[in-house]
Every structure is written in C-alpha cells, then in structure tokens.
Amino acid sequence: MASNEVEEAVKRINSHKGVMGVLVVNYDGVPIKTSMEAAETVQHAALITHFTQKAKGVIKQLDPDNEVTFLRVRSKKHEILIAPDENYILVVLQNPGSAFVNE
Amino acid sequence: MASNEVEEAVKRINSHKGVMGVLVVNYDGVPIKTSMEAAETVQHAALITHFTQKAKGVIKQLDPDNEVTFLRVRSKKHEILIAPDENYILVVLQNPGSAFVNE
C-alpha cells in the first residue's frame, strides 16, 4: 500500500462511530500513521508492538506451524484491536460498547 | 464457586460446538480444571498465564485505572478466549470458524 492509501485507510477507520484511535506501527515499535496525540502514540506503539510479539511467540511455542491473525484486548475503558500484518501492525482503539469490529 | 460447580461449568462449555478445549488456571500457572490432555494443559497453562499477566501490565501501564476484562487471540488454527477473573483465568480454545463466543 502506498503511504497515502494507508493515510486514507486510517482516516476511514477513525471516522467510524466508537473508534477512539487508529495507529499503524512497524515491528520496531515505530509509529507510521496515527490519529492519536504524539505522547499517546509513542506509548501505545511501544507497548502494543511488544505485546503483539509476545502473542506471536506464545502461539508459535504452542504450535510452530500456527500464526496469530488477530488480537483483541478488552478492558473496562476500551477495546484494543490488533491486526498484525507481515511488516506492520494495525491497531484500533474502540469504545467497548460500540461495534466497529464486533464479529 | 465450589469445585464441582467449576467442573460442571468446564464440562458445559466444552460440550459447545467448536470448543476444542477448556482450562481453568490460577495466576501461578497451575491448572485447576482442564478438558485437555496433561502435556497440553501444562504448556497452555504456563504460556497463557504469562501472556495474561503481560496484557494486564500493558493496560495498567497505559492507564493505571484501567483493567483487562477479556482477551482473544485468533490464529490460523484456533482462537483462544481468555477471561481473567480475580483469582483464576478461564481459557477456552475454539475453532476459528465456529461461534461459541462470537460477540
């Protein structure tokens, strides 16, 4: 995806009802695109990248032929949706009562 | 919950279509109830407890007033549902195409 396509996608997702923030980060924890404020972006990027690596490690340890496709962390205040792609991780923060992704 | 109530709950969940395994584990990674085989139980209990602690840590670091209520790890081969309670963690492995919990 070209950079402007990524930007459009981030904007589109962010416009959904209940979406509190969108972040695209690489596996070094470097934010590529964000709808959040700078400090919040850096903190989320670092913690969520590390957490995603952890999840990938757990799944590989349980079965080396398996692979993480999607992660959801629901908390009292929001739900974090994490879609780990080959080079980038897409992170969406949504209101727990809303339904951007509610499959 | 009394031990036999936990056992009944594990059996009930495990009887749902698409459920591949149910595990109740404490925060030391000790399995309390399981529908899986011994080796699989021990491995899942250790890795998932550690992973749950990690998720709780991430959420607390992002906001000390927040708390994890539910985790889902979808992979190519299955989906792991993790419900961390005060003293125990309920873990359900389900077929990714099925819908025991599909909210």
mmCIF file with all atom_site columns, all heavy atoms in Angstrom, chain A residues 72-88:
data_model
loop_
_atom_site.group_PDB
_atom_site.id
_atom_site.type_symbol
_atom_site.label_atom_id
_atom_site.label_alt_id
_atom_site.label_comp_id
_atom_site.label_asym_id
_atom_site.label_entity_id
_atom_site.label_seq_id
_atom_site.pdbx_PDB_ins_code
_atom_site.Cartn_x
_atom_site.Cartn_y
_atom_site.Cartn_z
_atom_site.occupancy
_atom_site.B_iso_or_equiv
_atom_site.pdbx_formal_charge
_atom_site.auth_seq_id
_atom_site.auth_comp_id
_atom_site.auth_asym_id
_atom_site.auth_atom_id
_atom_site.pdbx_PDB_model_num
ATOM 1   N N   . ARG A 1 72 ? -7.491  -9.226  20.325 1.00 0.00 ? 72 ARG A N   1
ATOM 2   C CA  . ARG A 1 72 ? -8.401  -8.242  20.922 1.00 0.00 ? 72 ARG A CA  1
ATOM 3   C C   . ARG A 1 72 ? -8.163  -8.190  22.419 1.00 0.00 ? 72 ARG A C   1
ATOM 4   O O   . ARG A 1 72 ? -8.160  -9.230  23.091 1.00 0.00 ? 72 ARG A O   1
ATOM 5   C CB  . ARG A 1 72 ? -9.859  -8.637  20.670 1.00 0.00 ? 72 ARG A CB  1
ATOM 6   C CG  . ARG A 1 72 ? -10.184 -8.757  19.197 1.00 0.00 ? 72 ARG A CG  1
ATOM 7   C CD  . ARG A 1 72 ? -11.547 -9.327  18.983 1.00 0.00 ? 72 ARG A CD  1
ATOM 8   N NE  . ARG A 1 72 ? -12.574 -8.389  19.382 1.00 0.00 ? 72 ARG A NE  1
ATOM 9   C CZ  . ARG A 1 72 ? -13.763 -8.299  18.784 1.00 0.00 ? 72 ARG A CZ  1
ATOM 10  N NH1 . ARG A 1 72 ? -14.066 -9.110  17.780 1.00 0.00 ? 72 ARG A NH1 1
ATOM 11  N NH2 . ARG A 1 72 ? -14.654 -7.436  19.187 1.00 0.00 ? 72 ARG A NH2 1
ATOM 12  N N   . VAL A 1 73 ? -7.978  -7.000  22.933 1.00 0.00 ? 73 VAL A N   1
ATOM 13  C CA  . VAL A 1 73 ? -7.800  -6.819  24.369 1.00 0.00 ? 73 VAL A CA  1
ATOM 14  C C   . VAL A 1 73 ? -8.929  -5.927  24.847 1.00 0.00 ? 73 VAL A C   1
ATOM 15  O O   . VAL A 1 73 ? -8.949  -4.721  24.590 1.00 0.00 ? 73 VAL A O   1
ATOM 16  C CB  . VAL A 1 73 ? -6.443  -6.159  24.705 1.00 0.00 ? 73 VAL A CB  1
ATOM 17  C CG1 . VAL A 1 73 ? -6.256  -6.065  26.219 1.00 0.00 ? 73 VAL A CG1 1
ATOM 18  C CG2 . VAL A 1 73 ? -5.293  -6.929  24.061 1.00 0.00 ? 73 VAL A CG2 1
ATOM 19  N N   . ARG A 1 74 ? -9.881  -6.533  25.505 1.00 0.00 ? 74 ARG A N   1
ATOM 20  C CA  . ARG A 1 74 ? -10.994 -5.738  26.026 1.00 0.00 ? 74 ARG A CA  1
ATOM 21  C C   . ARG A 1 74 ? -10.670 -5.327  27.460 1.00 0.00 ? 74 ARG A C   1
ATOM 22  O O   . ARG A 1 74 ? -10.207 -6.146  28.264 1.00 0.00 ? 74 ARG A O   1
ATOM 23  C CB  . ARG A 1 74 ? -12.291 -6.543  25.983 1.00 0.00 ? 74 ARG A CB  1
ATOM 24  C CG  . ARG A 1 74 ? -13.501 -5.708  26.405 1.00 0.00 ? 74 ARG A CG  1
ATOM 25  C CD  . ARG A 1 74 ? -14.778 -6.439  26.197 1.00 0.00 ? 74 ARG A CD  1
ATOM 26  N NE  . ARG A 1 74 ? -15.124 -6.509  24.787 1.00 0.00 ? 74 ARG A NE  1
ATOM 27  C CZ  . ARG A 1 74 ? -16.372 -6.514  24.320 1.00 0.00 ? 74 ARG A CZ  1
ATOM 28  N NH1 . ARG A 1 74 ? -17.392 -6.473  25.154 1.00 0.00 ? 74 ARG A NH1 1
ATOM 29  N NH2 . ARG A 1 74 ? -16.603 -6.585  23.034 1.00 0.00 ? 74 ARG A NH2 1
ATOM 30  N N   . SER A 1 75 ? -10.883 -4.062  27.758 1.00 0.00 ? 75 SER A N   1
ATOM 31  C CA  . SER A 1 75 ? -10.660 -3.580  29.114 1.00 0.00 ? 75 SER A CA  1
ATOM 32  C C   . SER A 1 75 ? -11.880 -2.782  29.542 1.00 0.00 ? 75 SER A C   1
ATOM 33  O O   . SER A 1 75 ? -12.812 -2.588  28.760 1.00 0.00 ? 75 SER A O   1
ATOM 34  C CB  . SER A 1 75 ? -9.401  -2.712  29.160 1.00 0.00 ? 75 SER A CB  1
ATOM 35  O OG  . SER A 1 75 ? -9.591  -1.565  28.359 1.00 0.00 ? 75 SER A OG  1
ATOM 36  N N   . LYS A 1 76 ? -11.870 -2.324  30.801 1.00 0.00 ? 76 LYS A N   1
ATOM 37  C CA  . LYS A 1 76 ? -13.026 -1.580  31.295 1.00 0.00 ? 76 LYS A CA  1
ATOM 38  C C   . LYS A 1 76 ? -13.289 -0.328  30.468 1.00 0.00 ? 76 LYS A C   1
ATOM 39  O O   . LYS A 1 76 ? -14.431 0.060   30.256 1.00 0.00 ? 76 LYS A O   1
ATOM 40  C CB  . LYS A 1 76 ? -12.801 -1.186  32.757 1.00 0.00 ? 76 LYS A CB  1
ATOM 41  C CG  . LYS A 1 76 ? -13.010 -2.352  33.696 1.00 0.00 ? 76 LYS A CG  1
ATOM 42  C CD  . LYS A 1 76 ? -12.867 -1.944  35.148 1.00 0.00 ? 76 LYS A CD  1
ATOM 43  C CE  . LYS A 1 76 ? -13.131 -3.131  36.060 1.00 0.00 ? 76 LYS A CE  1
ATOM 44  N NZ  . LYS A 1 76 ? -12.736 -2.853  37.443 1.00 0.00 ? 76 LYS A NZ  1
ATOM 45  N N   . LYS A 1 77 ? -12.207 0.321   29.993 1.00 0.00 ? 77 LYS A N   1
ATOM 46  C CA  . LYS A 1 77 ? -12.367 1.604   29.313 1.00 0.00 ? 77 LYS A CA  1
ATOM 47  C C   . LYS A 1 77 ? -12.416 1.550   27.795 1.00 0.00 ? 77 LYS A C   1
ATOM 48  O O   . LYS A 1 77 ? -12.905 2.480   27.163 1.00 0.00 ? 77 LYS A O   1
ATOM 49  C CB  . LYS A 1 77 ? -11.262 2.559   29.761 1.00 0.00 ? 77 LYS A CB  1
ATOM 50  C CG  . LYS A 1 77 ? -11.321 2.857   31.258 1.00 0.00 ? 77 LYS A CG  1
ATOM 51  C CD  . LYS A 1 77 ? -10.439 4.010   31.624 1.00 0.00 ? 77 LYS A CD  1
ATOM 52  C CE  . LYS A 1 77 ? -10.533 4.306   33.126 1.00 0.00 ? 77 LYS A CE  1
ATOM 53  N NZ  . LYS A 1 77 ? -9.652  5.417   33.508 1.00 0.00 ? 77 LYS A NZ  1
ATOM 54  N N   . HIS A 1 78 ? -11.813 0.531   27.186 1.00 0.00 ? 78 HIS A N   1
ATOM 55  C CA  . HIS A 1 78 ? -11.857 0.434   25.723 1.00 0.00 ? 78 HIS A CA  1
ATOM 56  C C   . HIS A 1 78 ? -11.497 -0.978  25.278 1.00 0.00 ? 78 HIS A C   1
ATOM 57  O O   . HIS A 1 78 ? -11.188 -1.849  26.102 1.00 0.00 ? 78 HIS A O   1
ATOM 58  C CB  . HIS A 1 78 ? -10.930 1.460   25.061 1.00 0.00 ? 78 HIS A CB  1
ATOM 59  C CG  . HIS A 1 78 ? -9.523  1.433   25.548 1.00 0.00 ? 78 HIS A CG  1
ATOM 60  N ND1 . HIS A 1 78 ? -8.729  0.324   25.474 1.00 0.00 ? 78 HIS A ND1 1
ATOM 61  C CD2 . HIS A 1 78 ? -8.768  2.389   26.147 1.00 0.00 ? 78 HIS A CD2 1
ATOM 62  C CE1 . HIS A 1 78 ? -7.545  0.592   25.974 1.00 0.00 ? 78 HIS A CE1 1
ATOM 63  N NE2 . HIS A 1 78 ? -7.539  1.842   26.421 1.00 0.00 ? 78 HIS A NE2 1
ATOM 64  N N   . GLU A 1 79 ? -11.514 -1.174  23.982 1.00 0.00 ? 79 GLU A N   1
ATOM 65  C CA  . GLU A 1 79 ? -11.062 -2.438  23.427 1.00 0.00 ? 79 GLU A CA  1
ATOM 66  C C   . GLU A 1 79 ? -9.981  -2.121  22.401 1.00 0.00 ? 79 GLU A C   1
ATOM 67  O O   . GLU A 1 79 ? -10.148 -1.214  21.582 1.00 0.00 ? 79 GLU A O   1
ATOM 68  C CB  . GLU A 1 79 ? -12.237 -3.176  22.756 1.00 0.00 ? 79 GLU A CB  1
ATOM 69  C CG  . GLU A 1 79 ? -11.821 -4.556  22.262 1.00 0.00 ? 79 GLU A CG  1
ATOM 70  C CD  . GLU A 1 79 ? -12.995 -5.428  21.825 1.00 0.00 ? 79 GLU A CD  1
ATOM 71  O OE1 . GLU A 1 79 ? -14.074 -4.869  21.533 1.00 0.00 ? 79 GLU A OE1 1
ATOM 72  O OE2 . GLU A 1 79 ? -12.830 -6.654  21.782 1.00 0.00 ? 79 GLU A OE2 1
ATOM 73  N N   . ILE A 1 80 ? -8.876  -2.840  22.492 1.00 0.00 ? 80 ILE A N   1
ATOM 74  C CA  . ILE A 1 80 ? -7.801  -2.653  21.522 1.00 0.00 ? 80 ILE A CA  1
ATOM 75  C C   . ILE A 1 80 ? -7.871  -3.804  20.524 1.00 0.00 ? 80 ILE A C   1
ATOM 76  O O   . ILE A 1 80 ? -7.846  -4.976  20.917 1.00 0.00 ? 80 ILE A O   1
ATOM 77  C CB  . ILE A 1 80 ? -6.411  -2.624  22.195 1.00 0.00 ? 80 ILE A CB  1
ATOM 78  C CG1 . ILE A 1 80 ? -6.363  -1.568  23.312 1.00 0.00 ? 80 ILE A CG1 1
ATOM 79  C CG2 . ILE A 1 80 ? -5.318  -2.340  21.166 1.00 0.00 ? 80 ILE A CG2 1
ATOM 80  C CD1 . ILE A 1 80 ? -5.031  -1.541  24.088 1.00 0.00 ? 80 ILE A CD1 1
ATOM 81  N N   . LEU A 1 81 ? -7.986  -3.464  19.239 1.00 0.00 ? 81 LEU A N   1
ATOM 82  C CA  . LEU A 1 81 ? -7.985  -4.465  18.173 1.00 0.00 ? 81 LEU A CA  1
ATOM 83  C C   . LEU A 1 81 ? -6.619  -4.405  17.506 1.00 0.00 ? 81 LEU A C   1
ATOM 84  O O   . LEU A 1 81 ? -6.155  -3.317  17.140 1.00 0.00 ? 81 LEU A O   1
ATOM 85  C CB  . LEU A 1 81 ? -9.065  -4.141  17.138 1.00 0.00 ? 81 LEU A CB  1
ATOM 86  C CG  . LEU A 1 81 ? -10.470 -3.858  17.678 1.00 0.00 ? 81 LEU A CG  1
ATOM 87  C CD1 . LEU A 1 81 ? -11.387 -3.399  16.546 1.00 0.00 ? 81 LEU A CD1 1
ATOM 88  C CD2 . LEU A 1 81 ? -11.042 -5.092  18.348 1.00 0.00 ? 81 LEU A CD2 1
ATOM 89  N N   . ILE A 1 82 ? -5.981  -5.542  17.352 1.00 0.00 ? 82 ILE A N   1
ATOM 90  C CA  . ILE A 1 82 ? -4.629  -5.579  16.795 1.00 0.00 ? 82 ILE A CA  1
ATOM 91  C C   . ILE A 1 82 ? -4.583  -6.564  15.633 1.00 0.00 ? 82 ILE A C   1
ATOM 92  O O   . ILE A 1 82 ? -4.837  -7.755  15.811 1.00 0.00 ? 82 ILE A O   1
ATOM 93  C CB  . ILE A 1 82 ? -3.609  -6.003  17.880 1.00 0.00 ? 82 ILE A CB  1
ATOM 94  C CG1 . ILE A 1 82 ? -3.700  -5.076  19.104 1.00 0.00 ? 82 ILE A CG1 1
ATOM 95  C CG2 . ILE A 1 82 ? -2.183  -6.028  17.309 1.00 0.00 ? 82 ILE A CG2 1
ATOM 96  C CD1 . ILE A 1 82 ? -2.991  -5.610  20.351 1.00 0.00 ? 82 ILE A CD1 1
ATOM 97  N N   . ALA A 1 83 ? -4.270  -6.042  14.449 1.00 0.00 ? 83 ALA A N   1
ATOM 98  C CA  . ALA A 1 83 ? -4.154  -6.894  13.263 1.00 0.00 ? 83 ALA A CA  1
ATOM 99  C C   . ALA A 1 83 ? -2.692  -6.892  12.820 1.00 0.00 ? 83 ALA A C   1
ATOM 100 O O   . ALA A 1 83 ? -2.227  -5.926  12.226 1.00 0.00 ? 83 ALA A O   1
ATOM 101 C CB  . ALA A 1 83 ? -5.065  -6.387  12.154 1.00 0.00 ? 83 ALA A CB  1
ATOM 102 N N   . PRO A 1 84 ? -1.936  -7.956  13.154 1.00 0.00 ? 84 PRO A N   1
ATOM 103 C CA  . PRO A 1 84 ? -0.529  -7.988  12.785 1.00 0.00 ? 84 PRO A CA  1
ATOM 104 C C   . PRO A 1 84 ? -0.356  -8.480  11.355 1.00 0.00 ? 84 PRO A C   1
ATOM 105 O O   . PRO A 1 84 ? -0.732  -9.597  11.023 1.00 0.00 ? 84 PRO A O   1
ATOM 106 C CB  . PRO A 1 84 ? 0.083   -8.986  13.774 1.00 0.00 ? 84 PRO A CB  1
ATOM 107 C CG  . PRO A 1 84 ? -1.052  -9.689  14.445 1.00 0.00 ? 84 PRO A CG  1
ATOM 108 C CD  . PRO A 1 84 ? -2.339  -9.174  13.901 1.00 0.00 ? 84 PRO A CD  1
ATOM 109 N N   . ASP A 1 85 ? 0.165   -7.610  10.497 1.00 0.00 ? 85 ASP A N   1
ATOM 110 C CA  . ASP A 1 85 ? 0.460   -7.981  9.111  1.00 0.00 ? 85 ASP A CA  1
ATOM 111 C C   . ASP A 1 85 ? 1.946   -8.341  9.035  1.00 0.00 ? 85 ASP A C   1
ATOM 112 O O   . ASP A 1 85 ? 2.614   -8.411  10.053 1.00 0.00 ? 85 ASP A O   1
ATOM 113 C CB  . ASP A 1 85 ? 0.114   -6.789  8.207  1.00 0.00 ? 85 ASP A CB  1
ATOM 114 C CG  . ASP A 1 85 ? -0.201  -7.245  6.790  1.00 0.00 ? 85 ASP A CG  1
ATOM 115 O OD1 . ASP A 1 85 ? 0.048   -8.425  6.467  1.00 0.00 ? 85 ASP A OD1 1
ATOM 116 O OD2 . ASP A 1 85 ? -0.681  -6.420  6.000  1.00 0.00 ? 85 ASP A OD2 1
ATOM 117 N N   . GLU A 1 86 ? 2.449   -8.559  7.814  1.00 0.00 ? 86 GLU A N   1
ATOM 118 C CA  . GLU A 1 86 ? 3.837   -9.014  7.684  1.00 0.00 ? 86 GLU A CA  1
ATOM 119 C C   . GLU A 1 86 ? 4.820   -7.964  8.230  1.00 0.00 ? 86 GLU A C   1
ATOM 120 O O   . GLU A 1 86 ? 5.713   -8.281  9.009  1.00 0.00 ? 86 GLU A O   1
ATOM 121 C CB  . GLU A 1 86 ? 4.144   -9.322  6.222  1.00 0.00 ? 86 GLU A CB  1
ATOM 122 C CG  . GLU A 1 86 ? 5.305   -10.294 6.089  1.00 0.00 ? 86 GLU A CG  1
ATOM 123 C CD  . GLU A 1 86 ? 5.608   -10.617 4.646  1.00 0.00 ? 86 GLU A CD  1
ATOM 124 O OE1 . GLU A 1 86 ? 4.644   -10.755 3.856  1.00 0.00 ? 86 GLU A OE1 1
ATOM 125 O OE2 . GLU A 1 86 ? 6.799   -10.710 4.302  1.00 0.00 ? 86 GLU A OE2 1
ATOM 126 N N   . ASN A 1 87 ? 4.658   -6.722  7.794  1.00 0.00 ? 87 ASN A N   1
ATOM 127 C CA  . ASN A 1 87 ? 5.622   -5.682  8.178  1.00 0.00 ? 87 ASN A CA  1
ATOM 128 C C   . ASN A 1 87 ? 5.071   -4.648  9.152  1.00 0.00 ? 87 ASN A C   1
ATOM 129 O O   . ASN A 1 87 ? 5.854   -3.930  9.779  1.00 0.00 ? 87 ASN A O   1
ATOM 130 C CB  . ASN A 1 87 ? 6.144   -4.961  6.937  1.00 0.00 ? 87 ASN A CB  1
ATOM 131 C CG  . ASN A 1 87 ? 6.841   -5.920  5.990  1.00 0.00 ? 87 ASN A CG  1
ATOM 132 O OD1 . ASN A 1 87 ? 7.703   -6.687  6.412  1.00 0.00 ? 87 ASN A OD1 1
ATOM 133 N ND2 . ASN A 1 87 ? 6.449   -5.913  4.724  1.00 0.00 ? 87 ASN A ND2 1
ATOM 134 N N   . TYR A 1 88 ? 3.761   -4.564  9.205  1.00 0.00 ? 88 TYR A N   1
ATOM 135 C CA  . TYR A 1 88 ? 3.146   -3.546  10.036 1.00 0.00 ? 88 TYR A CA  1
ATOM 136 C C   . TYR A 1 88 ? 2.057   -4.130  10.921 1.00 0.00 ? 88 TYR A C   1
ATOM 137 O O   . TYR A 1 88 ? 1.505   -5.195  10.634 1.00 0.00 ? 88 TYR A O   1
ATOM 138 C CB  . TYR A 1 88 ? 2.541   -2.433  9.158  1.00 0.00 ? 88 TYR A CB  1
ATOM 139 C CG  . TYR A 1 88 ? 3.563   -1.799  8.274  1.00 0.00 ? 88 TYR A CG  1
ATOM 140 C CD1 . TYR A 1 88 ? 3.655   -2.141  6.924  1.00 0.00 ? 88 TYR A CD1 1
ATOM 141 C CD2 . TYR A 1 88 ? 4.473   -0.880  8.791  1.00 0.00 ? 88 TYR A CD2 1
ATOM 142 C CE1 . TYR A 1 88 ? 4.630   -1.584  6.110  1.00 0.00 ? 88 TYR A CE1 1
ATOM 143 C CE2 . TYR A 1 88 ? 5.441   -0.315  7.991  1.00 0.00 ? 88 TYR A CE2 1
ATOM 144 C CZ  . TYR A 1 88 ? 5.526   -0.670  6.651  1.00 0.00 ? 88 TYR A CZ  1
ATOM 145 O OH  . TYR A 1 88 ? 6.496   -0.118  5.875  1.00 0.00 ? 88 TYR A OH  1
#
